[in-house]
mmCIF file with all atom_site columns, all heavy atoms in Angstrom:
data_model
loop_
_atom_site.group_PDB
_atom_site.id
_atom_site.type_symbol
_atom_site.label_atom_id
_atom_site.label_alt_id
_atom_site.label_comp_id
_atom_site.label_asym_id
_atom_site.label_entity_id
_atom_site.label_seq_id
_atom_site.pdbx_PDB_ins_code
_atom_site.Cartn_x
_atom_site.Cartn_y
_atom_site.Cartn_z
_atom_site.occupancy
_atom_site.B_iso_or_equiv
_atom_site.pdbx_formal_charge
_atom_site.auth_seq_id
_atom_site.auth_comp_id
_atom_site.auth_asym_id
_atom_site.auth_atom_id
_atom_site.pdbx_PDB_model_num
ATOM 1   N N   . ALA A 1 425 ? 10.091 9.243  17.777 1.00 0.00 ? 425 ALA A N   1
ATOM 2   C CA  . ALA A 1 425 ? 9.376  10.287 18.514 1.00 0.00 ? 425 ALA A CA  1
ATOM 3   C C   . ALA A 1 425 ? 8.398  11.014 17.600 1.00 0.00 ? 425 ALA A C   1
ATOM 4   O O   . ALA A 1 425 ? 7.308  11.408 18.027 1.00 0.00 ? 425 ALA A O   1
ATOM 5   C CB  . ALA A 1 425 ? 10.377 11.266 19.127 1.00 0.00 ? 425 ALA A CB  1
ATOM 6   N N   . ASN A 1 426 ? 8.765  11.163 16.342 1.00 0.00 ? 426 ASN A N   1
ATOM 7   C CA  . ASN A 1 426 ? 7.852  11.814 15.391 1.00 0.00 ? 426 ASN A CA  1
ATOM 8   C C   . ASN A 1 426 ? 6.583  10.994 15.183 1.00 0.00 ? 426 ASN A C   1
ATOM 9   O O   . ASN A 1 426 ? 5.508  11.555 14.949 1.00 0.00 ? 426 ASN A O   1
ATOM 10  C CB  . ASN A 1 426 ? 8.558  12.042 14.057 1.00 0.00 ? 426 ASN A CB  1
ATOM 11  C CG  . ASN A 1 426 ? 9.524  13.204 14.112 1.00 0.00 ? 426 ASN A CG  1
ATOM 12  O OD1 . ASN A 1 426 ? 9.386  14.092 14.951 1.00 0.00 ? 426 ASN A OD1 1
ATOM 13  N ND2 . ASN A 1 426 ? 10.503 13.203 13.220 1.00 0.00 ? 426 ASN A ND2 1
ATOM 14  N N   . SER A 1 427 ? 6.692  9.661  15.245 1.00 0.00 ? 427 SER A N   1
ATOM 15  C CA  . SER A 1 427 ? 5.490  8.836  15.100 1.00 0.00 ? 427 SER A CA  1
ATOM 16  C C   . SER A 1 427 ? 4.556  9.049  16.280 1.00 0.00 ? 427 SER A C   1
ATOM 17  O O   . SER A 1 427 ? 3.329  9.004  16.143 1.00 0.00 ? 427 SER A O   1
ATOM 18  C CB  . SER A 1 427 ? 5.855  7.349  14.964 1.00 0.00 ? 427 SER A CB  1
ATOM 19  O OG  . SER A 1 427 ? 6.218  6.775  16.210 1.00 0.00 ? 427 SER A OG  1
ATOM 20  N N   . VAL A 1 428 ? 5.124  9.283  17.464 1.00 0.00 ? 428 VAL A N   1
ATOM 21  C CA  . VAL A 1 428 ? 4.292  9.579  18.637 1.00 0.00 ? 428 VAL A CA  1
ATOM 22  C C   . VAL A 1 428 ? 3.671  10.964 18.507 1.00 0.00 ? 428 VAL A C   1
ATOM 23  O O   . VAL A 1 428 ? 2.491  11.172 18.825 1.00 0.00 ? 428 VAL A O   1
ATOM 24  C CB  . VAL A 1 428 ? 5.120  9.471  19.931 1.00 0.00 ? 428 VAL A CB  1
ATOM 25  C CG1 . VAL A 1 428 ? 4.280  9.878  21.138 1.00 0.00 ? 428 VAL A CG1 1
ATOM 26  C CG2 . VAL A 1 428 ? 5.654  8.053  20.114 1.00 0.00 ? 428 VAL A CG2 1
ATOM 27  N N   . ARG A 1 429 ? 4.450  11.926 18.020 1.00 0.00 ? 429 ARG A N   1
ATOM 28  C CA  . ARG A 1 429 ? 3.902  13.281 17.828 1.00 0.00 ? 429 ARG A CA  1
ATOM 29  C C   . ARG A 1 429 ? 2.748  13.270 16.833 1.00 0.00 ? 429 ARG A C   1
ATOM 30  O O   . ARG A 1 429 ? 1.810  14.069 16.941 1.00 0.00 ? 429 ARG A O   1
ATOM 31  C CB  . ARG A 1 429 ? 5.003  14.214 17.340 1.00 0.00 ? 429 ARG A CB  1
ATOM 32  C CG  . ARG A 1 429 ? 6.087  14.515 18.373 1.00 0.00 ? 429 ARG A CG  1
ATOM 33  C CD  . ARG A 1 429 ? 7.026  15.597 17.892 1.00 0.00 ? 429 ARG A CD  1
ATOM 34  N NE  . ARG A 1 429 ? 8.091  15.846 18.870 1.00 0.00 ? 429 ARG A NE  1
ATOM 35  C CZ  . ARG A 1 429 ? 9.321  15.355 18.778 1.00 0.00 ? 429 ARG A CZ  1
ATOM 36  N NH1 . ARG A 1 429 ? 9.653  14.598 17.731 1.00 0.00 ? 429 ARG A NH1 1
ATOM 37  N NH2 . ARG A 1 429 ? 10.212 15.615 19.704 1.00 0.00 ? 429 ARG A NH2 1
ATOM 38  N N   . ALA A 1 430 ? 2.811  12.367 15.849 1.00 0.00 ? 430 ALA A N   1
ATOM 39  C CA  . ALA A 1 430 ? 1.756  12.312 14.837 1.00 0.00 ? 430 ALA A CA  1
ATOM 40  C C   . ALA A 1 430 ? 0.408  11.947 15.430 1.00 0.00 ? 430 ALA A C   1
ATOM 41  O O   . ALA A 1 430 ? -0.633 12.327 14.885 1.00 0.00 ? 430 ALA A O   1
ATOM 42  C CB  . ALA A 1 430 ? 2.134  11.313 13.736 1.00 0.00 ? 430 ALA A CB  1
ATOM 43  N N   . VAL A 1 431 ? 0.400  11.206 16.554 1.00 0.00 ? 431 VAL A N   1
ATOM 44  C CA  . VAL A 1 431 ? -0.876 10.830 17.178 1.00 0.00 ? 431 VAL A CA  1
ATOM 45  C C   . VAL A 1 431 ? -1.170 11.649 18.423 1.00 0.00 ? 431 VAL A C   1
ATOM 46  O O   . VAL A 1 431 ? -2.195 11.452 19.071 1.00 0.00 ? 431 VAL A O   1
ATOM 47  C CB  . VAL A 1 431 ? -0.901 9.320  17.527 1.00 0.00 ? 431 VAL A CB  1
ATOM 48  C CG1 . VAL A 1 431 ? -0.859 8.477  16.270 1.00 0.00 ? 431 VAL A CG1 1
ATOM 49  C CG2 . VAL A 1 431 ? 0.240  8.945  18.466 1.00 0.00 ? 431 VAL A CG2 1
ATOM 50  N N   . THR A 1 432 ? -0.291 12.583 18.767 1.00 0.00 ? 432 THR A N   1
ATOM 51  C CA  . THR A 1 432 ? -0.524 13.427 19.949 1.00 0.00 ? 432 THR A CA  1
ATOM 52  C C   . THR A 1 432 ? -0.431 14.911 19.589 1.00 0.00 ? 432 THR A C   1
ATOM 53  O O   . THR A 1 432 ? -1.437 15.563 19.366 1.00 0.00 ? 432 THR A O   1
ATOM 54  C CB  . THR A 1 432 ? 0.487  13.088 21.071 1.00 0.00 ? 432 THR A CB  1
ATOM 55  O OG1 . THR A 1 432 ? 1.828  13.154 20.555 1.00 0.00 ? 432 THR A OG1 1
ATOM 56  C CG2 . THR A 1 432 ? 0.220  11.711 21.627 1.00 0.00 ? 432 THR A CG2 1
ATOM 57  N N   . THR A 1 433 ? 0.773  15.422 19.473 1.00 0.00 ? 433 THR A N   1
ATOM 58  C CA  . THR A 1 433 ? 0.969  16.858 19.256 1.00 0.00 ? 433 THR A CA  1
ATOM 59  C C   . THR A 1 433 ? 0.227  17.372 18.036 1.00 0.00 ? 433 THR A C   1
ATOM 60  O O   . THR A 1 433 ? -0.390 18.446 18.073 1.00 0.00 ? 433 THR A O   1
ATOM 61  C CB  . THR A 1 433 ? 2.473  17.171 19.115 1.00 0.00 ? 433 THR A CB  1
ATOM 62  O OG1 . THR A 1 433 ? 3.175  16.588 20.210 1.00 0.00 ? 433 THR A OG1 1
ATOM 63  C CG2 . THR A 1 433 ? 2.708  18.665 19.096 1.00 0.00 ? 433 THR A CG2 1
ATOM 64  N N   . GLU A 1 434 ? 0.281  16.620 16.936 1.00 0.00 ? 434 GLU A N   1
ATOM 65  C CA  . GLU A 1 434 ? -0.382 17.061 15.710 1.00 0.00 ? 434 GLU A CA  1
ATOM 66  C C   . GLU A 1 434 ? -1.901 17.071 15.844 1.00 0.00 ? 434 GLU A C   1
ATOM 67  O O   . GLU A 1 434 ? -2.596 17.590 14.974 1.00 0.00 ? 434 GLU A O   1
ATOM 68  C CB  . GLU A 1 434 ? 0.045  16.173 14.545 1.00 0.00 ? 434 GLU A CB  1
ATOM 69  C CG  . GLU A 1 434 ? 1.512  16.342 14.162 1.00 0.00 ? 434 GLU A CG  1
ATOM 70  C CD  . GLU A 1 434 ? 1.913  15.477 12.983 1.00 0.00 ? 434 GLU A CD  1
ATOM 71  O OE1 . GLU A 1 434 ? 0.994  14.934 12.307 1.00 0.00 ? 434 GLU A OE1 1
ATOM 72  O OE2 . GLU A 1 434 ? 3.118  15.325 12.736 1.00 0.00 ? 434 GLU A OE2 1
ATOM 73  N N   . ARG A 1 435 ? -2.424 16.479 16.918 1.00 0.00 ? 435 ARG A N   1
ATOM 74  C CA  . ARG A 1 435 ? -3.874 16.448 17.139 1.00 0.00 ? 435 ARG A CA  1
ATOM 75  C C   . ARG A 1 435 ? -4.260 17.240 18.378 1.00 0.00 ? 435 ARG A C   1
ATOM 76  O O   . ARG A 1 435 ? -5.330 17.032 18.948 1.00 0.00 ? 435 ARG A O   1
ATOM 77  C CB  . ARG A 1 435 ? -4.342 15.003 17.244 1.00 0.00 ? 435 ARG A CB  1
ATOM 78  C CG  . ARG A 1 435 ? -4.067 14.255 15.940 1.00 0.00 ? 435 ARG A CG  1
ATOM 79  C CD  . ARG A 1 435 ? -4.352 12.796 16.030 1.00 0.00 ? 435 ARG A CD  1
ATOM 80  N NE  . ARG A 1 435 ? -3.885 12.123 14.813 1.00 0.00 ? 435 ARG A NE  1
ATOM 81  C CZ  . ARG A 1 435 ? -3.971 10.834 14.597 1.00 0.00 ? 435 ARG A CZ  1
ATOM 82  N NH1 . ARG A 1 435 ? -4.527 10.054 15.510 1.00 0.00 ? 435 ARG A NH1 1
ATOM 83  N NH2 . ARG A 1 435 ? -3.508 10.300 13.485 1.00 0.00 ? 435 ARG A NH2 1
ATOM 84  N N   . GLY A 1 436 ? -3.351 18.107 18.795 1.00 0.00 ? 436 GLY A N   1
ATOM 85  C CA  . GLY A 1 436 ? -3.658 18.972 19.923 1.00 0.00 ? 436 GLY A CA  1
ATOM 86  C C   . GLY A 1 436 ? -3.510 18.320 21.277 1.00 0.00 ? 436 GLY A C   1
ATOM 87  O O   . GLY A 1 436 ? -4.002 18.848 22.280 1.00 0.00 ? 436 GLY A O   1
ATOM 88  N N   . LEU A 1 437 ? -2.839 17.178 21.357 1.00 0.00 ? 437 LEU A N   1
ATOM 89  C CA  . LEU A 1 437 ? -2.646 16.478 22.614 1.00 0.00 ? 437 LEU A CA  1
ATOM 90  C C   . LEU A 1 437 ? -1.200 16.643 23.082 1.00 0.00 ? 437 LEU A C   1
ATOM 91  O O   . LEU A 1 437 ? -0.273 16.679 22.270 1.00 0.00 ? 437 LEU A O   1
ATOM 92  C CB  . LEU A 1 437 ? -2.959 14.986 22.449 1.00 0.00 ? 437 LEU A CB  1
ATOM 93  C CG  . LEU A 1 437 ? -4.362 14.632 21.945 1.00 0.00 ? 437 LEU A CG  1
ATOM 94  C CD1 . LEU A 1 437 ? -4.476 13.128 21.724 1.00 0.00 ? 437 LEU A CD1 1
ATOM 95  C CD2 . LEU A 1 437 ? -5.424 15.104 22.928 1.00 0.00 ? 437 LEU A CD2 1
ATOM 96  N N   . ASP A 1 438 ? -1.003 16.738 24.387 1.00 0.00 ? 438 ASP A N   1
ATOM 97  C CA  . ASP A 1 438 ? 0.325  16.877 24.967 1.00 0.00 ? 438 ASP A CA  1
ATOM 98  C C   . ASP A 1 438 ? 0.810  15.493 25.385 1.00 0.00 ? 438 ASP A C   1
ATOM 99  O O   . ASP A 1 438 ? 0.223  14.867 26.281 1.00 0.00 ? 438 ASP A O   1
ATOM 100 C CB  . ASP A 1 438 ? 0.272  17.807 26.180 1.00 0.00 ? 438 ASP A CB  1
ATOM 101 C CG  . ASP A 1 438 ? 1.660  18.166 26.703 1.00 0.00 ? 438 ASP A CG  1
ATOM 102 O OD1 . ASP A 1 438 ? 2.613  17.413 26.426 1.00 0.00 ? 438 ASP A OD1 1
ATOM 103 O OD2 . ASP A 1 438 ? 1.787  19.186 27.394 1.00 0.00 ? 438 ASP A OD2 1
ATOM 104 N N   . PRO A 1 439 ? 1.879  14.969 24.765 1.00 0.00 ? 439 PRO A N   1
ATOM 105 C CA  . PRO A 1 439 ? 2.342  13.617 25.119 1.00 0.00 ? 439 PRO A CA  1
ATOM 106 C C   . PRO A 1 439 ? 2.730  13.489 26.582 1.00 0.00 ? 439 PRO A C   1
ATOM 107 O O   . PRO A 1 439 ? 2.727  12.371 27.135 1.00 0.00 ? 439 PRO A O   1
ATOM 108 C CB  . PRO A 1 439 ? 3.544  13.394 24.190 1.00 0.00 ? 439 PRO A CB  1
ATOM 109 C CG  . PRO A 1 439 ? 3.936  14.738 23.694 1.00 0.00 ? 439 PRO A CG  1
ATOM 110 C CD  . PRO A 1 439 ? 2.690  15.565 23.692 1.00 0.00 ? 439 PRO A CD  1
ATOM 111 N N   . ARG A 1 440 ? 3.044  14.593 27.245 1.00 0.00 ? 440 ARG A N   1
ATOM 112 C CA  . ARG A 1 440 ? 3.427  14.528 28.657 1.00 0.00 ? 440 ARG A CA  1
ATOM 113 C C   . ARG A 1 440 ? 2.258  14.137 29.553 1.00 0.00 ? 440 ARG A C   1
ATOM 114 O O   . ARG A 1 440 ? 2.465  13.760 30.717 1.00 0.00 ? 440 ARG A O   1
ATOM 115 C CB  . ARG A 1 440 ? 3.997  15.882 29.095 1.00 0.00 ? 440 ARG A CB  1
ATOM 116 C CG  . ARG A 1 440 ? 5.305  16.253 28.402 1.00 0.00 ? 440 ARG A CG  1
ATOM 117 C CD  . ARG A 1 440 ? 5.730  17.668 28.743 1.00 0.00 ? 440 ARG A CD  1
ATOM 118 N NE  . ARG A 1 440 ? 4.768  18.657 28.256 1.00 0.00 ? 440 ARG A NE  1
ATOM 119 C CZ  . ARG A 1 440 ? 4.915  19.965 28.393 1.00 0.00 ? 440 ARG A CZ  1
ATOM 120 N NH1 . ARG A 1 440 ? 5.980  20.439 29.029 1.00 0.00 ? 440 ARG A NH1 1
ATOM 121 N NH2 . ARG A 1 440 ? 4.005  20.792 27.914 1.00 0.00 ? 440 ARG A NH2 1
ATOM 122 N N   . ASP A 1 441 ? 1.035  14.229 29.016 1.00 0.00 ? 441 ASP A N   1
ATOM 123 C CA  . ASP A 1 441 ? -0.147 13.871 29.805 1.00 0.00 ? 441 ASP A CA  1
ATOM 124 C C   . ASP A 1 441 ? -0.415 12.368 29.798 1.00 0.00 ? 441 ASP A C   1
ATOM 125 O O   . ASP A 1 441 ? -1.349 11.908 30.466 1.00 0.00 ? 441 ASP A O   1
ATOM 126 C CB  . ASP A 1 441 ? -1.383 14.591 29.260 1.00 0.00 ? 441 ASP A CB  1
ATOM 127 C CG  . ASP A 1 441 ? -1.299 16.102 29.406 1.00 0.00 ? 441 ASP A CG  1
ATOM 128 O OD1 . ASP A 1 441 ? -0.556 16.558 30.297 1.00 0.00 ? 441 ASP A OD1 1
ATOM 129 O OD2 . ASP A 1 441 ? -1.949 16.815 28.622 1.00 0.00 ? 441 ASP A OD2 1
ATOM 130 N N   . PHE A 1 442 ? 0.385  11.612 29.066 1.00 0.00 ? 442 PHE A N   1
ATOM 131 C CA  . PHE A 1 442 ? 0.118  10.191 28.888 1.00 0.00 ? 442 PHE A CA  1
ATOM 132 C C   . PHE A 1 442 ? 1.256  9.345  29.462 1.00 0.00 ? 442 PHE A C   1
ATOM 133 O O   . PHE A 1 442 ? 2.403  9.780  29.507 1.00 0.00 ? 442 PHE A O   1
ATOM 134 C CB  . PHE A 1 442 ? -0.026 9.852  27.400 1.00 0.00 ? 442 PHE A CB  1
ATOM 135 C CG  . PHE A 1 442 ? -1.180 10.531 26.721 1.00 0.00 ? 442 PHE A CG  1
ATOM 136 C CD1 . PHE A 1 442 ? -1.082 11.841 26.275 1.00 0.00 ? 442 PHE A CD1 1
ATOM 137 C CD2 . PHE A 1 442 ? -2.379 9.855  26.538 1.00 0.00 ? 442 PHE A CD2 1
ATOM 138 C CE1 . PHE A 1 442 ? -2.147 12.474 25.654 1.00 0.00 ? 442 PHE A CE1 1
ATOM 139 C CE2 . PHE A 1 442 ? -3.453 10.478 25.917 1.00 0.00 ? 442 PHE A CE2 1
ATOM 140 C CZ  . PHE A 1 442 ? -3.341 11.784 25.480 1.00 0.00 ? 442 PHE A CZ  1
ATOM 141 N N   . VAL A 1 443 ? 0.910  8.127  29.861 1.00 0.00 ? 443 VAL A N   1
ATOM 142 C CA  . VAL A 1 443 ? 1.925  7.140  30.189 1.00 0.00 ? 443 VAL A CA  1
ATOM 143 C C   . VAL A 1 443 ? 2.298  6.425  28.895 1.00 0.00 ? 443 VAL A C   1
ATOM 144 O O   . VAL A 1 443 ? 1.440  6.138  28.060 1.00 0.00 ? 443 VAL A O   1
ATOM 145 C CB  . VAL A 1 443 ? 1.427  6.145  31.261 1.00 0.00 ? 443 VAL A CB  1
ATOM 146 C CG1 . VAL A 1 443 ? 0.210  5.355  30.774 1.00 0.00 ? 443 VAL A CG1 1
ATOM 147 C CG2 . VAL A 1 443 ? 2.534  5.186  31.667 1.00 0.00 ? 443 VAL A CG2 1
ATOM 148 N N   . LEU A 1 444 ? 3.577  6.176  28.690 1.00 0.00 ? 444 LEU A N   1
ATOM 149 C CA  . LEU A 1 444 ? 4.065  5.534  27.469 1.00 0.00 ? 444 LEU A CA  1
ATOM 150 C C   . LEU A 1 444 ? 4.284  4.056  27.760 1.00 0.00 ? 444 LEU A C   1
ATOM 151 O O   . LEU A 1 444 ? 5.061  3.701  28.662 1.00 0.00 ? 444 LEU A O   1
ATOM 152 C CB  . LEU A 1 444 ? 5.372  6.193  27.027 1.00 0.00 ? 444 LEU A CB  1
ATOM 153 C CG  . LEU A 1 444 ? 5.983  5.747  25.698 1.00 0.00 ? 444 LEU A CG  1
ATOM 154 C CD1 . LEU A 1 444 ? 5.075  6.108  24.531 1.00 0.00 ? 444 LEU A CD1 1
ATOM 155 C CD2 . LEU A 1 444 ? 7.355  6.383  25.504 1.00 0.00 ? 444 LEU A CD2 1
ATOM 156 N N   . VAL A 1 445 ? 3.584  3.190  27.034 1.00 0.00 ? 445 VAL A N   1
ATOM 157 C CA  . VAL A 1 445 ? 3.737  1.741  27.185 1.00 0.00 ? 445 VAL A CA  1
ATOM 158 C C   . VAL A 1 445 ? 4.632  1.247  26.056 1.00 0.00 ? 445 VAL A C   1
ATOM 159 O O   . VAL A 1 445 ? 4.269  1.345  24.880 1.00 0.00 ? 445 VAL A O   1
ATOM 160 C CB  . VAL A 1 445 ? 2.372  1.023  27.155 1.00 0.00 ? 445 VAL A CB  1
ATOM 161 C CG1 . VAL A 1 445 ? 2.560  -0.487 27.308 1.00 0.00 ? 445 VAL A CG1 1
ATOM 162 C CG2 . VAL A 1 445 ? 1.472  1.558  28.268 1.00 0.00 ? 445 VAL A CG2 1
ATOM 163 N N   . ALA A 1 446 ? 5.818  0.765  26.410 1.00 0.00 ? 446 ALA A N   1
ATOM 164 C CA  . ALA A 1 446 ? 6.831  0.399  25.418 1.00 0.00 ? 446 ALA A CA  1
ATOM 165 C C   . ALA A 1 446 ? 6.951  -1.113 25.315 1.00 0.00 ? 446 ALA A C   1
ATOM 166 O O   . ALA A 1 446 ? 7.138  -1.804 26.328 1.00 0.00 ? 446 ALA A O   1
ATOM 167 C CB  . ALA A 1 446 ? 8.181  1.002  25.797 1.00 0.00 ? 446 ALA A CB  1
ATOM 168 N N   . TYR A 1 447 ? 6.858  -1.618 24.098 1.00 0.00 ? 447 TYR A N   1
ATOM 169 C CA  . TYR A 1 447 ? 6.980  -3.059 23.885 1.00 0.00 ? 447 TYR A CA  1
ATOM 170 C C   . TYR A 1 447 ? 7.560  -3.303 22.505 1.00 0.00 ? 447 TYR A C   1
ATOM 171 O O   . TYR A 1 447 ? 8.009  -2.381 21.815 1.00 0.00 ? 447 TYR A O   1
ATOM 172 C CB  . TYR A 1 447 ? 5.628  -3.748 24.072 1.00 0.00 ? 447 TYR A CB  1
ATOM 173 C CG  . TYR A 1 447 ? 4.492  -3.167 23.254 1.00 0.00 ? 447 TYR A CG  1
ATOM 174 C CD1 . TYR A 1 447 ? 4.149  -3.708 22.023 1.00 0.00 ? 447 TYR A CD1 1
ATOM 175 C CD2 . TYR A 1 447 ? 3.757  -2.081 23.715 1.00 0.00 ? 447 TYR A CD2 1
ATOM 176 C CE1 . TYR A 1 447 ? 3.109  -3.184 21.269 1.00 0.00 ? 447 TYR A CE1 1
ATOM 177 C CE2 . TYR A 1 447 ? 2.719  -1.553 22.984 1.00 0.00 ? 447 TYR A CE2 1
ATOM 178 C CZ  . TYR A 1 447 ? 2.391  -2.104 21.752 1.00 0.00 ? 447 TYR A CZ  1
ATOM 179 O OH  . TYR A 1 447 ? 1.369  -1.578 21.010 1.00 0.00 ? 447 TYR A OH  1
#
Side-chain angles (χ1 to χ4, degrees):
N426 284 337
S427 76
V428 176
R429 291 188 182 100
V431 294
T432 53
T433 309
E434 292 181 13
R435 298 173 188 179
L437 303 175
D438 189 338
R440 295 173 296 182
D441 295 336
F442 297 81
V443 61
L444 185 65
V445 180
Y447 53 95

